[in-house]
Every structure is written in C-alpha cells, then in structure tokens.
C-alpha cells in the first residue's frame, strides 16, 4: 500500500498506540483509539493552568470560557462550517444531541410533529418516532428519492402537522453504507418548505470517524448534525449538536431550562423565568459545561492533524484497506465452493468508493453445508485471538431486519423467545438474529486486515474434504419410506382441542416439544394450578404465526344458550398474543408447583373462560424462565410436552403427528421423520385408550446444514424406522445418538468440533486455539478416540466418523 500519512503507519502505531502491539482492533465504529501524544498534550495543558467553572469573572473562570469558545470555533472550522451560519452545542454524545432536537420538536404545539427516518437509522434516531404525532420509515434510498420527487411536484404524503423532521444517518453504523448528502438541500427546495416547515437531522456519528463532513455550503447543509468526538479522536468522551442558525427557531420551543440556559427564574410566589436569548448554544447547554473535556478537544484537533494531516487522508487510507478486506473476505470459499462470508453490503455502494461506502463490513459466516456459525461463536474465538470486533444487533434494527431477512413477525417472535442485545441466541427459525461487524479507523493497518482474514480462514474455512460428511441427513426417498406424515397438530392449551397445522406450513420442532404445543393452561382465577374441566374440550384454538395470534373459539355453555335463545348460535371468541407474556406476574414460590405459569388478567380473556366454563377462570402461560428450571420430579407437565406420534387408525385426538401407512414403527426404537431423527419412548401412563408413542427429538449437533439448524416437520414428510441394531448402521442416526450423550456445545473451529456439556467448558477449550499448533493437538486427540471405537473407514472420512462415534 502507498503511504498516505506523513509517517508510515507502522511508525505511527508503535509510537502513538503501543497497546495495539499484538491486538487486532476492529471496532472503530464503536470508538476509535486515542493517541499517546493526545494524552500527553492534554495533561500538560491541565497541569500548566488553573481552569475554573466558566461564566464568572475570576481569571480562572475567564480562562476556561475563553478556551471553550476557541474550541467551539475550531469545531466549526473542522467541519468547514461558517460561524456566521452555524453554532455548536456541546453534549455528552450523539444520542444526547439527537435528544436535544427531540426536546424542541416534542414541545411544539399540537398536533405535534411528523417524523420520517431512513431504514439505516441507529436506534437513537428510531426512538424519536415514539414522540411524533405521525411517523414513516423509508425502506431504502430510493424511497427517499421518490418521496423528495413527489413532494417537489407538490403531491401526496404531505405531512399535515405544523412541523416535520426528516432524519437519517450519513453512514450506516451497521454496514458502512454512506447515504446521499444532497438530501437536506433538496428537501429545502422541495414543496415541503412551502406547505409546512420541514427540518433535516443528520446523524453523522459513524460518518465523521473516517470522512470529512463538509458544511461549507449553507444552502445544502442539514439543519441539525449530531456527532461524537470520541469516534473521531478516541478521546474526549464528548459529542456535539451543530445547528444551522436559520433553523434555530424551532429549538426555542424547548420548554426545559437549567443552570446555564436561563437568565432569571423565580420560584416563590410565582413561576416566572427568562431564558437566555443571546446565542443558540447558551439556550441549549444546560448546567455546567464539560469544560475539561472541551479543552481536551483542543489537543485532540492538534494531535490528529499532526498524525494524519487531514480527514481526506484518513478516508483514502481506510477506504483502500476496507476494499482489500472486503475482497479477501468475499473470495473465501469452502472446499465445496460455498462462500464462507455472507456480507451485508448495500446494493447502492461499492467498497473502494469512499463517497458511498465507509470502512465497515457486516457479515455472518456460513458452514460448507450452508448452515450458519453463530455470531457469538465467532466472537468468542476472536477474543481468543485478541481480535476486537462487534456482534449482535449493533443498534440498527432496520439494517438487521433487511439483511438477515427478518420480517416484522420474526423480530417479534425472536424477542418473545428471548433474543436480547448481546446474548447467545444466534439462530432462530434458521436465520441469524444478528451480525458480526468489523470496522477500520485511521490507525488500522494492512496487518490488521491480514490477521483477520487469516483468522476466518483458519477457524472456519472447511478445506480438504470435498465430499459431504456421512452424518448429514438427506430427505428420505419414497422407496425407502414406510409411511408419511398425514397430519400435524398442536395443542396450544393443555386439555383443550388441537389445531391442525396447514399442509403447506413446516412447523418448528423446539428442544423438547413442537412450537406452541401445550404452552398455555387454564387456571382458576387467582390460582396457577392447571385446571381440568370437561368443557375445555369445546375450546378450539387457531394459530396465526405471522400475525402473532392465538385465536380461541367456543360455543357458549348450554345453560347460557337456553336462557337467551338469540345468543345460542354465537360462539365466544378471544384473541391472545403469541409474542406478549401476561401482564400479571405471580409471586414465585420456590419448591412448589405454583410458579409454573403467569396468568392473564385482561378482561376479555377472563370473561371468555368464565363464560365458556361457567366458573371464574382465566388463561396462564408457562413461564419460559422457570420452564428451563423444571425437572421431572417437580413439574407434572415437563414430561408431557414431548410430541406424540400415532397412526391414522388409532387415537388421532391426542397425537401431534399422525402417520399413514405401515405401523412397523410401533415396535421400533428410532424413527426418522423427514430429515429429523427421534427416539420412540413409551408413554408415561402406559395405557391410555390410544396407541400413541412419545417422541424425543435427537438433534444432530455435528450436522451444520441449514435443515439441521432449523428442524421442522410437515405434512407429507416420509417416515423410516430403526431398531437399536439397525440404527448403528446408519451414520446419520449414529451421529444423532452420539449427540444425546455429548454436550450441546460444539467447538465452531471447522477441524476441531469437540463437544462439551456446558458453555464454560467450551469457553475454556477455545483457548487451545490460541496457536495453530494447539488446533492440531485437539484434532489428533479426536482422531485417536475415533480409531479406538470405529470400524476402519476411508481415510478422508475418518475424522468425521471418529468424532461422531466417540461417545456411542
Ligand atoms: Zn476446538
């Protein structure tokens, strides 16, 4: 790479960032790093003068005031903004700057304000919509373009509120896509400006890290610009709101005042006040300024210029590195040709074009079989290699939804199933719940790029074996099949009727049960003990996954119907959210059955059950948190949730899966339905009237194909059964059985795949991957285990088969 800075990047790093030594820091979008000289200059500055609280007459105070005002001008100069047209308000960070704008818009007169925001917006921008009278999310750059054109012609979607605010990020904090900066100017000349007052807020936090924000044209500049200085300099922890003075009137709507923003206040015998009116920053900087931090900014500007010359230099440097990193990651292939990284690049941008693309790459890693490596597994291995990156939702809900192809209902479902920021729930419904993000900064080097690419290559690229491992399951063909799935049904409410899954829907198999099966129960009001009442059979459920609802219908009790003949034709009906848990939380009593469920206190639900059953009752949902703590001795229900399988002729009423054709499976130990293996277990109550057996799903933890990661069952799936003996001749079933005794935590390193019972053991094990030599050692151990236990296999298959059979 050609040298862009005055000194070589190696010199700069060894002199200014000694702690970077053998660290690969790839989270500059989180915060960049501060230089050693910056800390020295700042401490010299601090120890050579006395700085008092600004805005008083003492020399120490005057000194602070003067320095603060100088820095304010420096900030404007840095962004090429004319002090005649712009002012700077110091705040804690970009989010605080955004909230300051919000405070003003929130306080405009009714009917409130219209709010538009771009899909790529950071959560901090999205949050403004909660206080808007109306809001709109623009799903793409093109949607904004169309909107600007529409309104330029004075057409539809003109907001009807008095004021409007359009907000977008200059750069997506998720994938680095840089958005057009001509929108504010075009918005201003569009008919929005005529029909009502429309303002533009630019979130520049991610953008200014590696790119010059140029506010020299006041006509095209945004009205409000939010940014953080630690993303540019690493220090101080300070942000700013830059305001275009012509747009400052709206900020006077803000009703709050505090020390610093008010001239005089009366509190006794009348609440009169006079706000400061001289400059915009005086009106908005509540309380004592963070003046030490502002003074530190002075050193930050100086050192930054000495080291890097200009933002344009940084832009060229990071753009070239990001382009190389992107090309290398995009070209990584498993031996079977499958791409290793699924990179979430915006279709409107190209790496290498700094105008449209920042030095940030968002992606997920795929296995050779097309499954996913969880983001948290990537992160844990990165930590072992001292690589610092970011994973999760990165506060960018629109970006995650778009690029991980998550529909609204899937986001709602993911949350209800426990997906939270920074957790380990990496995959749901066969889709990633978040991403891995690497981002470069001014002091990133080619070495950083190479180290990261090597890491991905060494840990995740499946090289060598070009054939598929034997443990991978394939669909059963019709000539191997004994029968097929005739019907799938779930019983959402314990003791109530079942609901037949539509034939075109593949239903999820969860850890111990089918999705939404026996997840609710009926309880007496005020109790949490499941109720068993003959009329419950009359309650018919219906599930709509995408709408997120469980709908219940039931005929009225005969006694009610006879007393009021006009109602006898009517069914009672009620709708329950699949995503929300009940509002009323029952006090948990440990060591008793009474903490099993949370009951619903909504009036419509209580009156439905009370009317249908004729006794004061309501619905309760088994609590997901306590559920995981259940064990068979405590809970009467935990054993009950395993799916039940039956043949068409026998007791369909209570079975989840009904099979057609041969009933050979009844005497067998294992059954394969579609692509998934199950163990057949005796029913706990040995004889109910019907011939059903319970199923235990045997997930194959060594199979990293998408189908194995997202087990489902569907009408028409073929069925094959196995005795204990025949199971041992089927590699895929053997792998599933091995998974049972193995832990659920498998090392994600492609040529290791050791398994552990608990996450902590896996975490400890990952440290053996610090150096490649250790990877080989783990691998050798695994191979030796295999040889002891298995019949000879063709050499290239050996490590797969051995690993799988180790615990059989
Ligand atoms: Zn390992």
């Amino acid at each position: 790479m050609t040298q862009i800075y005055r000194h070589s990047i190696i010199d700069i790093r060894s002199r200014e960032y000694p702690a970077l030594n053998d660290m690969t820091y790839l989270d500059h979008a989180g915060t960049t790093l501060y230089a050693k000289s910056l800390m020295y200059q700042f401490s010299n500055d601090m120890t050579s003068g006395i700085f008092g609280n600004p805005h008083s007459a003492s020399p120490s105070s005057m000194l602070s005031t003067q320095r603060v005002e100088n820095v304010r001008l420096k900030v404007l100069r840095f962004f090429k903004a004319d002090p005649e047209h712009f002012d700077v308000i110091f705040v804690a960070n970009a989010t605080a700057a955004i909230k300051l704008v919000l405070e003003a818009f929130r306080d405009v007169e009714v009917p409130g304000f219209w709010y538009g925001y771009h899909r790529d917006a950071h959560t901090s921008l999205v949050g403004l919509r909660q206080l808007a009278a109306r809001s709109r999310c623009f799903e793409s750059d093109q949607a904004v373009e169309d909107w600007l054109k529409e309104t330029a012609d004075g057409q539809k979607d003109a907001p009807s509120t008095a004021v409007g605010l359009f907000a977008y990020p200059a750069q997506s904090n998720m994938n680095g896509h840089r958005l057009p900066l001509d929108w504010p100017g075009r918005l201003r000349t569009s008919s929005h400006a005529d029909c009502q007052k429309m303002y533009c807020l630019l979130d520049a936090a991610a953008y200014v890290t590696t790119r010059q924000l140029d506010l020299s044209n006041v006509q095209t500049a945004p009205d409000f610009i939010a940014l953080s200085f630690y993303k540019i300099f690493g220090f101080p922890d300070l942000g700013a709101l830059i305001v275009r003075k012509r747009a400052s009137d709206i900020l006077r709507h803000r009703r709050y005042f505090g020390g610093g923003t008010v001239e005089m206040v009366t509190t006794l015998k009348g609440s009169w006040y006079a706000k400061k009116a001289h400059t915009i920053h005086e009106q908005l900087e509540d309380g004592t300024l963070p003046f030490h931090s502002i003074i530190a900014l002075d050193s930050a500007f100086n050192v930054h210029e000495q080291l890097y010359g200009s933002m344009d230099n940084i832009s060229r440097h990071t753009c070239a590195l990001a382009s190389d990193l992107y090309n290398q990651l995009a070209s990584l292939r498993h031996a079977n040709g499958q791409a290793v990284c699924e990179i979430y690049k915006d279709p409107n941008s190209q790496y290498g074009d700094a105008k449209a693309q920042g030095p940030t790459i968002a992606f997920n890693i795929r296995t050779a079989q097309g499954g996913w490596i969880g983001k948290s597994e990537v992160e844990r291995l990165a930590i072992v290699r001292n690589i610092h990156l970011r994973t999760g939702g990165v506060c960018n809900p629109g970006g995650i939804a778009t690029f991980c192809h998550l529909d609204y209902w899937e986001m709602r479902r993911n949350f209800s199933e426990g997906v939270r920021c920074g957790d380990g729930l990496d995959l749901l419904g066969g889709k990633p719940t978040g991403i891995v993000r690497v981002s470069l900064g001014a002091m990133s080097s080619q070495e950083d790029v190479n180290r990261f690419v090597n890491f991905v290559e060494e840990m995740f690229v499946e090289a060598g074996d070009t054939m598929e491992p034997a443990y991978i399951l394939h669909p059963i063909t019709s000539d191997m099949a004994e029968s097929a799935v005739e019907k799938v049904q779930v019983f959402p409410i314990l003791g109530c009727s079942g609901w037949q899954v539509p034939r075109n829907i593949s239903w999820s198999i969860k850890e111990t049960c089918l999705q939404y099966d026996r997840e609710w129960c009926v309880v007496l009001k005020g109790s949490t003990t499941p109720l068993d009442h003959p009329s419950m059979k009359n309650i018919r459920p219906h599930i709509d996954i995408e709408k997120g609802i469980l709908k219940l219908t039931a005929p009225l009790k005969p006694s009610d119907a006879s007393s009021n003949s006009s109602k006898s034709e009517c069914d009672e009906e009620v709708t329950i959210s699949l995503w929300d848990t009940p509002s009323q939380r029952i006090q948990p009593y440990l060591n008793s059955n009474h903490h099993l469920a949370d009951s619903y206190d909504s009036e419509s639900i209580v009156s439905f059950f009370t009317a249908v059953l004729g006794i004061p009752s309501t619905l309760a949902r088994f609590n997901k948190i306590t559920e995981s703590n259940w064990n068979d001795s405590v809970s009467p229900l935990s054993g009950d949730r395993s799916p039940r399988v039956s043949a068409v002729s026998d007791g369909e009423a209570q079975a989840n899966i009904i099979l057609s054709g041969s009933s050979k499976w009844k005497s067998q130990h294992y059954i394969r339905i579609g692509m998934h293996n199950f163990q057949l277990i005796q029913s706990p109550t040995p004889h109910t009237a019907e011939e059903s057996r319970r199923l235990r799903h045997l997930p194959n933890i060594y199979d990293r194909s998408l189908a194995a990661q997202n087990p489902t069952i569907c009408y028409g799936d073929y069925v094959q059964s196995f005795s204990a003996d025949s199971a041992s001749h089927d590699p895929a079933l053997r792998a599933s059985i091995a998974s049972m005794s193995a832990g659920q935590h498998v090392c994600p390193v492609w040529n290791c795949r050791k398994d552990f019972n608990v996450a902590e053991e896996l975490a400890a094990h990952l440290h053996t991957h610090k150096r490649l030599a250790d990877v080989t050692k783990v691998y050798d151990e695994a191979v030796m285990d295999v040889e002891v236990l298995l019949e000879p296999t063709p050499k290239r298959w050996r490590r797969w088969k051995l690993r799988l059979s180790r615990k059989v």
Side-chain angles (χ1 to χ4, degrees):
M1 253 181 87
T2 53
Q3 181 175 321
I4 291 168
Y5 306 137
R6 194 175 307 144
H7 301 284
S8 81
I9 192 73
I10 296 166
D11 284 353
I12 294 176
R13 281 165 68 108
S14 65
R15 198 158 27 88
E16 295 289 346
Y17 308 92
L20 267 181
N21 193 13
D22 56 353
M23 178 198 293
T24 308
Y25 186 86
L26 298 171
D27 192 21
H28 292 272
T31 181
T32 196
L33 307 172
Y34 50 82
K36 207 160 125 183
S37 304
L38 164 55
M39 302 322 279
Y40 283 146
Q41 270 204 29
F42 176 50
S43 66
N44 278 341
D45 207 0
M46 284 292 106
T47 48
S48 62
I50 300 291
F51 298 96
N53 191 324
H55 302 305
S56 103
S58 69
S60 57
S61 174
M62 299 270 282
L63 178 61
S64 296
T65 307
Q66 186 201 343
R67 290 289 300 272
V68 166
E69 292 318 307
N70 282 344
V71 172
R72 210 184 290 278
L73 289 173
K74 265 194 171 175
V75 170
L76 289 175
R77 208 177 308 138
F78 188 79
F79 296 112
K80 305 188 178 180
D82 184 346
E84 176 78 20
H85 297 297
F86 291 91
D87 198 352
V88 176
I89 295 117
F90 289 111
V91 289
N93 48 42
T95 301
I98 291 165
K99 281 167 79 176
L100 201 52
V101 175
L102 171 66
E103 281 182 14
F105 278 82
R106 183 192 59 192
D107 291 350
V108 296
E109 303 304 312
V110 279
F113 68 102
W114 175 91
Y115 182 56
Y117 60 100
H118 190 278
R119 175 198 79 196
D120 283 349
H122 187 277
T123 310
S124 301
L125 276 190
V126 179
L128 265 71
R129 72 170 184 213
Q130 301 307 110
L131 290 119
R134 286 173 56 212
S135 69
R136 172 176 175 188
C137 175
F138 292 88
E139 69 276 15
S140 65
D141 294 3
Q142 190 55 47
V144 176
E145 296 286 346
D146 293 345
W147 176 67
L148 288 171
K149 282 196 198 102
E150 274 168 20
T151 53
D153 305 335
Q155 283 174 14
K156 59 185 169 176
D157 202 42
S160 59
T161 50
V163 293
L165 179 64
F166 171 64
Y168 73 102
Q171 175 179 322
S172 159
N173 72 305
M174 178 187 143
N175 66 1
H177 167 53
R178 285 175 176 159
L179 289 84
L181 292 177
D182 63 351
W183 286 346
R186 289 169 53 200
L187 182 63
R188 203 162 285 138
T189 56
S190 78
S191 57
H192 278 302
D194 302 322
C195 70
Q196 67 138 55
K197 206 95 172 94
M198 179 67 79
Y199 297 85
C200 183
L201 164 63
L202 184 75
D203 171 8
Y207 185 87
V208 295
T209 308
T210 53
R211 181 96 174 144
Q212 175 70 53
L213 177 67
D214 185 343
L215 300 175
S216 55
N217 185 345
V218 69
Q219 302 303 331
T220 59
D223 297 304
F224 314 107
I225 299 115
L227 55 93
S228 298
F229 292 108
Y230 56 85
K231 298 214 181 194
I232 311 174
F233 310 119
F235 180 85
D237 299 344
L238 189 69
L241 175 69
I242 300 177
V243 176
R244 188 172 165 268
K245 287 184 178 174
R246 275 177 225 173
S248 63
D249 270 3
I250 184 83
L251 299 178
R252 289 180 219 279
H253 284 276
R254 195 180 77 124
R255 281 178 290 210
Y256 177 79
F257 58 77
T261 52
V262 68
E263 296 283 7
M264 186 177 281
V265 189
T266 64
T267 53
L268 301 173
K269 298 184 180 173
S271 46
W272 173 88
Y273 68 94
K275 284 204 250 201
K276 286 196 175 171
H278 184 56
T279 65
I280 300 159
H281 66 260
E282 278 178 348
Q283 291 161 29
L284 296 173
E285 286 171 344
D286 300 313
T288 298
L289 279 172
F291 59 100
H292 296 115
S293 294
I294 296 171
I295 293 167
L297 206 47
D298 206 353
S299 306
F301 282 121
N302 295 339
V303 170
H304 195 255
E305 207 205 329
Q306 285 157 22
L307 293 179
Y308 304 111
S310 69
M311 286 309 292
D312 289 338
N313 288 345
I314 292 173
S315 176
R316 279 195 291 145
H317 172 75
T318 52
C319 180
L321 283 180
S323 173
D324 183 50
L325 178 56
Y326 171 79
N327 289 332
Q328 290 202 57
L329 289 178
S331 64
L332 288 178
R333 289 283 180 282
H334 293 295
N336 65 1
Q338 160 89 36
V340 177
C341 298
E342 176 136 334
I343 301 178
Y344 304 122
K345 184 181 81 62
D346 193 284
N348 292 326
S349 62
Q350 289 300 330
Y351 285 88
D353 170 16
K355 193 161 178 277
Q357 181 61 55
T360 302
I361 300 177
F363 63 98
N364 271 303
I365 295 181
R366 301 197 88 137
T367 65
Q369 293 79 38
W372 300 96
I373 301 277
K375 60 184 173 13
S376 55
E377 293 183 339
V378 177
E379 180 162 45
R380 285 193 293 182
L381 279 164
I383 290 167
V384 164
R385 284 293 172 90
N386 207 3
I387 294 171
H388 300 230
L389 43 73
R390 188 65 69 110
T391 65
V394 299
C395 289
N396 196 309
I400 296 292
T402 306
F403 290 101
C404 296
H405 307 289
L406 293 170
D407 213 336
Y408 170 79
W409 68 270
E410 291 171 299
M411 303 277 276
R412 293 292 310 266
R413 176 206 58 198
N414 288 0
F415 185 83
S416 78
E417 299 209 0
V419 172
R420 296 293 183 275
C421 201
D423 68 16
L425 254 181
D426 295 333
L427 300 171
L428 267 178
K431 296 178 182 182
T433 60
I435 53 130
V436 180
R437 183 185 76 184
V438 291
S439 51
L440 305 170
M443 70 295 299
S444 293
S445 67
Q446 186 66 45
E447 179 71 18
D448 290 332
V449 168
N450 296 344
R451 273 195 214 167
F452 185 70
V453 174
N454 289 342
F455 161 75
V456 176
E457 202 165 3
E458 232 170 62
M459 297 291 187
F460 305 111
V461 178
E462 301 181 31
D465 289 336
T466 51
M467 289 172 71
E468 268 188 351
Y471 59 69
I472 294 202
L473 275 166
H474 294 281
I476 308 164
T477 58
S478 60
D479 56 319
M480 297 154 72
E482 294 159 14
S483 65
V485 174
E486 186 66 27
K487 196 194 285 189
V488 179
Q489 55 184 1
V490 289
F491 300 86
I493 305 174
L494 209 62
C496 296
S497 292
W499 172 70
Q500 185 177 343
V501 176
R503 291 186 162 193
N504 58 343
I505 292 185
S506 293
W507 201 251
S508 278
I509 305 164
K510 312 303 284 182
E511 264 172 58
T512 56
C513 59
L514 296 187
Q515 182 161 39
Y516 298 127
D517 193 46
R518 300 176 177 91
E519 196 161 323
W520 290 265
C521 62
V522 184
V523 294
L524 281 178
K525 211 159 175 294
S527 148
T528 50
T529 309
L531 191 66
D532 189 14
H533 189 283
S535 300
M536 280 164 54
K537 286 273 174 289
N538 299 329
I539 298 174
R540 292 184 307 274
H542 177 92
I543 292 176
D544 189 326
I545 289 239
E546 300 198 8
K547 286 190 184 136
I549 54 169
L550 167 64
K551 197 166 84 181
L552 304 176
T553 51
L556 275 177
K557 268 180 72 80
S559 58
D560 296 339
S562 60
S563 68
N564 185 346
S565 58
S566 67
K567 277 183 87 180
S568 64
E569 297 293 305
C570 299
D571 281 354
E572 286 282 317
E573 189 176 303
V574 72
T575 301
I576 291 129
S577 168
L578 296 175
W579 302 325
D580 297 327
T581 40
S583 54
Q584 181 187 338
R585 295 197 74 86
I586 302 293
Q587 194 70 25
Y589 297 101
L590 292 174
N591 302 322
S592 90
N593 290 339
H594 289 265
H595 66 295
L596 292 180
D598 285 344
S599 67
Y600 293 77
D601 59 359
S602 113
E603 198 175 324
S604 61
I605 297 173
V606 172
S607 64
F608 172 85
F609 285 95
T610 305
V612 172
L613 304 184
I615 44 173
S617 49
T618 187
L619 191 68
R621 187 170 195 169
F622 290 103
N623 186 319
K624 288 209 156 77
I625 299 148
T626 55
E627 187 178 10
S628 60
N629 297 329
W630 282 0
N631 60 56
D632 288 293
S633 62
V634 172
S635 163
L637 297 162
S638 58
D640 250 355
R641 297 191 71 198
S642 53
R644 276 167 247 191
V645 63
S646 175
V648 168
S649 49
D650 329 300
E652 293 185 23
Q654 286 303 310
N656 295 102
I657 298 156
I658 290 128
L659 306 180
S660 67
S662 151
S663 54
K664 180 187 165 198
W665 58 272
K666 283 183 191 169
S667 57
Q668 301 284 50
H669 285 79
Y670 302 100
I671 186 169
R672 180 172 298 157
I673 304 176
M675 294 177 68
H676 306 285
N677 293 325
F678 299 86
Q679 186 178 16
L680 285 157
I681 316 169
Q682 284 304 337
S683 189
T685 41
H687 205 70
T688 48
E690 51 203 54
E691 292 271 337
S692 72
R693 288 188 71 180
R694 294 192 304 141
L695 293 177
R696 177 181 177 187
H697 180 220
L698 304 178
N700 180 349
I701 56 175
Y702 308 101
D703 183 348
R704 295 222 169 194
S705 64
L706 206 51
Q709 290 180 342
N710 180 34
T712 57
I713 202 155
C714 190
Y715 163 77
D717 282 349
Y718 288 129
V719 174
Q720 200 180 1
S721 63
F722 301 83
S723 65
D725 185 48
S726 65
S728 67
H729 298 297
D730 183 276
L733 189 51
R734 213 164 43 192
S736 283
I737 297 166
S739 298
M740 253 199 308
S741 52
Q744 290 293 303
H745 304 276
V746 181
C747 177
V749 177
W750 77 275
N751 56 4
C752 171
R753 308 252 162 119
K754 233 176 152 73
D755 62 68
F756 300 89
N757 289 311
V758 290
E760 289 70 25
E761 284 177 16
L762 170 59
H765 157 81
L766 292 177
H767 286 275
T768 61
H769 293 300
K770 270 209 153 117
R771 293 181 306 279
L772 194 56
D774 292 326
V775 181
T776 318
K777 188 165 154 263
V778 172
Y779 165 79
D780 287 344
E781 279 169 18
V783 171
M784 274 158 58
D785 282 349
V786 176
E787 282 173 340
V788 174
L789 289 167
L790 271 193
E791 72 268 43
T793 52
K795 207 165 187 178
R796 66 174 149 191
W797 292 89
R798 180 178 287 173
R799 70 161 167 263
W800 302 109
K801 296 217 166 174
L802 289 178
R803 288 285 305 120
L804 297 174
S805 319
R806 208 155 54 80
K807 294 197 175 178
V808 173

